[in-house]
Amino acid sequence: MKKIVITGAGGFLGTALMHRLVNKPDTMVYAFSFDSERRRYNFIRGDNIVPVDNSEIDTFDFSIADYVINCAFPRNADSELISDGLDFVAKVLKKAVSSGAVINISSQSVYNPQRKCAAKETDKPVLENKYAIGKYASELLNNTLCAEIPHTNIRMASLIGPDFDQRVTNKMVELALKNGELSVIEDSQTFGYLDIEDAADGILSLLNIPSEKWRSVYNLGNGRTYSLKTIAETVASVIKSVLGKHIEIKSESGDKVLNSALDGSTLMADTGYKPCVSLEESIRRILIKKIER
């Protein structure tokens, strides 16, 4: 029986992991989250899922776990929330040292946001905001507190999918449905998006190789980038194919520079994992979910 602890299990990424693991034979999942998370993402329940409230972190016996996957961290850049988030991550990792192995979820935001090409694990971190500093701090905590057991940090690409409406993809689908048109800026912004299902599969691929062979850090991304105009054109194409509705695209020039792409080839080489969900399919799923609401 493989026993897995997931923190942040009621969040966007945690829920995707739970979808992959629910009712999986010979797998038991101990799912840490707080009530508001569980309500927001329709917490997954199954015979092999044991919900655990975050308040039980101090009393839970982590020595029963073969793997701890830490997804817990606030997405908000508020200083107090990040401080609280790091406090919680430190508690998790101090306890996780008694487990078999630890996967800590970090972020592509630790890299230079104006990089020229997809970031590699060997690129030096450039911490330009509070969230990036917090995520890099979680990596340092993992490397220090869990130094005596197998552990890794996954620098995650920007995730997209239904119910994650702060992303440009979701906002464009909403605006296109509402207004019948999209206005975009043509500049040097490129987004390295990864579908939430690909992200879950990438994380779990590490469980298929010996944890002693894990590297200290992996990028999880597909290496692709999409401009705002490309995303808008894809949204228009998907809406046309699904609803038969034409979406007009208007554009103007801008000068903003951004690149959030990740080179995820190291993880792919080590595990055999390959992302398979296209931007078109991600947007189609976002659209279908919005139609169903």
Side-chain angles (χ1 to χ4, degrees), residues 12 40-41 75 159-175 177 193 196 282-283 285-291 293:
F12 186 53
R40 181 178 179 187
Y41 289 110
R75 286 190 299 272
L159 302 180
I160 59 173
D163 297 321
F164 206 48
D165 289 341
Q166 61 262 55
R167 290 292 187 230
V168 168
T169 47
N170 304 53
K171 290 177 180 178
M172 282 193 181
V173 170
E174 185 76 32
L175 287 171
L177 290 174
Y193 287 140
I196 185 64
S282 293
I283 290 174
R285 295 174 183 178
I286 293 167
L287 173 63
I288 295 301
K289 189 64 177 286
K290 287 188 178 295
I291 293 173
R293 286 178 181 172

Side-chain angles (χ1 to χ4, degrees), residues 144-193:
T144 301
L145 296 174
C146 299
E148 301 302 317
I149 64 171
H151 65 280
T152 189
N153 300 287
I154 297 186
R155 292 172 178 170
M156 186 71 62
S158 298
L159 302 180
I160 59 173
D163 297 321
F164 206 48
D165 289 341
Q166 61 262 55
R167 290 292 187 230
V168 168
T169 47
N170 304 53
K171 290 177 180 178
M172 282 193 181
V173 170
E174 185 76 32
L175 287 171
L177 290 174
K178 180 180 178 180
N179 301 327
E181 66 178 30
L182 290 170
S183 298
V184 298
I185 305 295
E186 291 192 69
D187 53 18
S188 297
Q189 292 187 83
T190 53
F191 299 84
Y193 287 140

Side-chain angles (χ1 to χ4, degrees), residues 95-279:
K95 299 279 287 183
V97 71
S98 64
S99 70
V102 175
I103 298 172
N104 177 55
I105 304 303
S106 186
S107 168
Q108 65 79 26
S109 65
V110 303
Y111 294 115
N112 186 347
Q114 297 181 340
R115 51 192 179 265
K116 301 299 182 183
C117 55
K120 298 179 180 292
E121 290 91 344
T122 52
D123 290 354
K124 184 177 178 62
V126 177
L127 309 176
E128 292 209 350
N129 56 57
K130 297 173 185 177
Y131 181 79
I133 293 170
K135 277 297 189 180
Y136 191 60
S138 77
E139 294 184 22
L140 299 179
L141 284 170
N142 189 28
N143 293 341
T144 301
L145 296 174
C146 299
E148 301 302 317
I149 64 171
H151 65 280
T152 189
N153 300 287
I154 297 186
R155 292 172 178 170
M156 186 71 62
S158 298
L159 302 180
I160 59 173
D163 297 321
F164 206 48
D165 289 341
Q166 61 262 55
R167 290 292 187 230
V168 168
T169 47
N170 304 53
K171 290 177 180 178
M172 282 193 181
V173 170
E174 185 76 32
L175 287 171
L177 290 174
K178 180 180 178 180
N179 301 327
E181 66 178 30
L182 290 170
S183 298
V184 298
I185 305 295
E186 291 192 69
D187 53 18
S188 297
Q189 292 187 83
T190 53
F191 299 84
Y193 287 140
L194 181 70
D195 188 86
I196 185 64
E197 293 191 7
D198 277 339
D201 288 341
I203 294 167
L204 296 177
S205 71
L206 282 169
L207 276 55
N208 298 326
I209 64 174
S211 56
E212 293 78 10
K213 294 186 177 181
W214 291 352
R215 303 172 194 251
S216 62
V217 61
Y218 285 103
N219 288 342
L220 179 47
N222 55 28
R224 305 188 191 102
T225 57
Y226 310 98
S227 68
L228 288 169
K229 188 172 182 180
T230 297
I231 297 170
E233 290 172 344
T234 305
V235 168
S237 175
V238 171
I239 290 177
K240 180 70 174 179
S241 65
V242 173
L243 299 177
K245 182 178 180 180
H246 173 73
I247 303 298
E248 183 179 356
I249 298 175
K250 300 177 181 179
S251 62
E252 58 182 272
S253 60
D255 56 8
K256 190 171 182 178
V257 177
L258 173 73
N259 186 344
S260 62
L262 288 180
D263 181 339
S265 59
T266 300
L267 179 68
M268 295 180 204
D270 283 4
T271 66
Y273 155 79
K274 290 184 179 179
C276 60
V277 183
S278 66
L279 179 64

